Amino acid sequence: MRAKIITTCRELGYTVNGAVNGGAARINWTGTSFTVDAGFENHPVTYVSWYGATSFAGYYGYRLPSEWEWQAVADFDGTYNYGCGTTINNSIANYYSSAHPDGTSVGGAFGVYGYGLADMAGNVWEWTSSPYGSNLYALRGGFWTASPSSCDVSFQHSDSSSSTIYNIGFRVCRMPEPDLTWIFVDEANFSGAISKYEITNAQYCRFLNAALTSGDITVDEEESIVYGAAGSNSGTDFVGEYYYNFNGVGWSIDGATLGGSSRVLYGNGMFYVDNGYDDFPVTFVSWYGATAFCEYYGLHLPSGAEWQAVADYDGTYNYGCGVTISNSIANYEGSTHPEGTSVGGTYGVYGYGIADMAGNVSEWITDVPYNPESRYVLGGAWNSIGIYCQIFNWGSMGIDYMGPHIGFRPCY
């Protein structure tokens, strides 16, 4: 594949309107590392391509806004003509005749407006994720020598995805994370954060409603299935694949009646959680649906090695709850919960302070077994016998399987 231009160094700016080399590239390559010109640390980056902006965003779990998301934020309450308000002048925006010797100005030098954002009028054009023709992407907001009309919230402009120039930069956005509690781990096979609990019905419901709004899912009410769709979120969309079954019937076994049934329901154009089941782990979610959730928020599923490293704690654990397992410390066969699954943390926390890494629901991971249309699950479930809850007992399921005993937890 041909390499894509991300940024260029040591590029001269534009001498005009009181600026000398305005918007020049201020990040330099020493031969071993990158450095920023003194005094320009807080100026917006320039000479960055759409590829470079998108790569930066993805690296940190962010994304570029679509041009319509950008406009919705810039327009604030619907009365804004510019990102700085109903009017524009050189005291509130860096655009034509602002006469800055460096062209660009330090972020926020002209104040904040609307939702509390700076420089949504002027300073630099901002890349968006919206295509604008063959190899072109939309730009919004105007720049430091732009006319007032170019700074209008509804003004549309575009450039080549590989373009690097003195007046283009970007800002990123991110979907608000579901209300997760993170446990930070730093050891040989895992250095990062992992969710203390398995993803709950309430958290997955929030994702489904957000993804419905952004066009990243479609709903088939007749089949009771949520499918992936190509929406505005920058994460992977598994178009046409099963994500979630909102009419999944659980199993009546081991003291449970329809244990693990779907508890995120759909009606009147939105998703909602069955009363009393907010904090139970979500079930009937496929690997596609678990992965889509993670990527929507800039997270990811753990690999098997990462999951096991966390579950094994100090190297002595046979189960995610310790050396041994019993019905007092894990929800597995014999626990006789009438709902099958149990509220996250009911059986305590172990190792690094994490709940339900043995039992409750088996958890999707990223590893691919011999069948590429499957993925592994780890940890055992509410209906599993004890041996299946062992840390090193790998199970596998079809990549689109949705059942009453499988859920997931993310990490980053």
Side-chain angles (χ1 to χ4, degrees):
M1 179 181 290
R2 185 178 179 182
K4 304 298 186 183
I5 297 174
I6 290 178
T7 189
T8 50
C9 302
R10 301 190 183 279
E11 288 289 343
L12 297 178
Y14 192 44
T15 299
V16 67
N17 197 31
V20 177
N21 287 332
R26 299 297 180 180
I27 300 176
N28 303 297
W29 174 243
T30 68
T32 58
S33 63
F34 291 95
T35 62
V36 179
D37 286 348
F40 288 90
E41 293 85 354
N42 295 319
H43 281 244
V45 68
T46 55
Y47 284 93
V48 59
S49 70
W50 179 88
Y51 294 115
T54 302
S55 295
F56 173 97
Y59 192 83
Y60 293 105
Y62 304 133
R63 63 183 176 88
L64 298 181
S66 71
E67 61 172 326
W68 308 116
E69 289 175 322
W70 188 99
Q71 184 171 328
V73 173
D75 194 10
F76 185 44
D77 60 3
T79 67
Y80 276 34
N81 299 312
Y82 308 92
C84 52
T86 55
T87 60
I88 191 169
N89 63 64
N90 293 125
S91 68
I92 59 175
N94 182 12
Y95 68 111
Y96 183 77
S97 76
S98 292
H100 278 283
D102 305 311
T104 60
S105 53
V106 170
F110 287 81
V112 296
Y113 303 92
Y115 292 104
L117 300 176
D119 302 310
M120 295 199 81
N123 218 5
V124 291
W125 285 117
E126 299 179 15
W127 286 116
T128 75
S129 62
S130 298
Y132 209 74
S134 178
N135 208 36
L136 300 173
Y137 282 86
L139 294 158
R140 289 302 195 103
F143 63 104
W144 57 275
T145 63
S147 65
S149 62
S150 297
C151 299
D152 191 289
V153 295
S154 61
F155 186 85
Q156 294 175 285
H157 185 51
S158 66
D159 207 336
S160 166
S161 53
S162 59
S163 177
T164 57
I165 196 169
Y166 67 94
N167 62 2
I168 298 179
F170 67 101
R171 76 177 71 218
V172 296
C173 62
R174 183 175 183 177
M175 294 302 298
E177 289 181 358
D179 186 20
L180 297 177
T181 301
W182 294 107
I183 300 296
F184 293 88
V185 177
D186 187 9
E187 67 106 275
N189 288 319
F190 182 83
S191 182
I194 191 164
S195 177
K196 180 176 182 177
Y197 304 106
E198 294 158 334
I199 290 300
T200 67
N201 289 312
Q203 291 162 342
Y204 203 73
C205 181
R206 179 178 176 180
F207 158 68
L208 290 175
N209 281 321
L212 189 63
T213 299
S214 63
D216 289 283
I217 60 170
T218 58
V219 179
D220 188 319
E221 291 192 72
E222 185 174 341
E223 292 186 344
S224 301
I225 298 293
V226 174
Y227 291 91
S232 61
N233 178 54
S234 64
T236 302
D237 290 312
F238 302 105
V239 178
E241 302 292 354
Y242 292 168
Y243 277 15
Y244 180 70
N245 178 351
F246 54 88
N247 193 31
V249 178
W251 293 336
S252 294
I253 188 174
D254 199 26
T257 302
L258 301 180
S261 295
S262 297
R263 299 299 181 179
V264 181
L265 311 177
Y266 181 80
N268 298 318
M270 67 177 295
F271 292 93
Y272 62 96
V273 180
D274 199 3
N275 187 42
Y277 289 91
D278 291 65
D279 296 326
F280 283 70
V282 68
T283 55
F284 282 94
V285 59
S286 73
W287 181 89
Y288 290 120
T291 303
F293 172 100
C294 292
E295 294 202 356
Y296 202 82
Y297 297 110
L299 310 172
H300 61 90
L301 293 178
S303 68
E306 289 173 327
W307 190 98
Q308 289 175 329
V310 173
D312 194 11
Y313 184 44
D314 60 3
T316 68
Y317 277 34
N318 298 312
Y319 306 88
C321 54
V323 179
T324 61
I325 190 170
S326 72
N327 292 127
S328 66
I329 59 175
N331 181 12
Y332 67 110
E333 184 184 54
S335 294
T336 62
H337 278 282
E339 297 89 5
T341 57
S342 53
V343 171
T346 297
Y347 288 81
V349 297
Y350 302 93
Y352 291 104
I354 301 174
D356 300 312
M357 294 199 83
N360 216 9
V361 290
S362 295
E363 299 176 16
W364 289 114
I365 59 172
T366 59
D367 294 59
V368 183
Y370 62 91
N371 179 0
E373 296 303 313
S374 298
R375 292 296 185 274
Y376 283 116
V377 293
L378 287 171
W382 59 272
N383 62 315
S384 298
I385 61 175
I387 194 173
Y388 291 161
C389 299
Q390 288 183 334
I391 289 169
F392 297 100
N393 195 308
W394 297 60
S396 66
M397 303 299 298
I399 203 168
D400 57 359
Y401 176 78
M402 301 171 290
H405 62 303
I406 296 181
F408 68 101
R409 79 176 73 221
C411 59
Y412 74 82

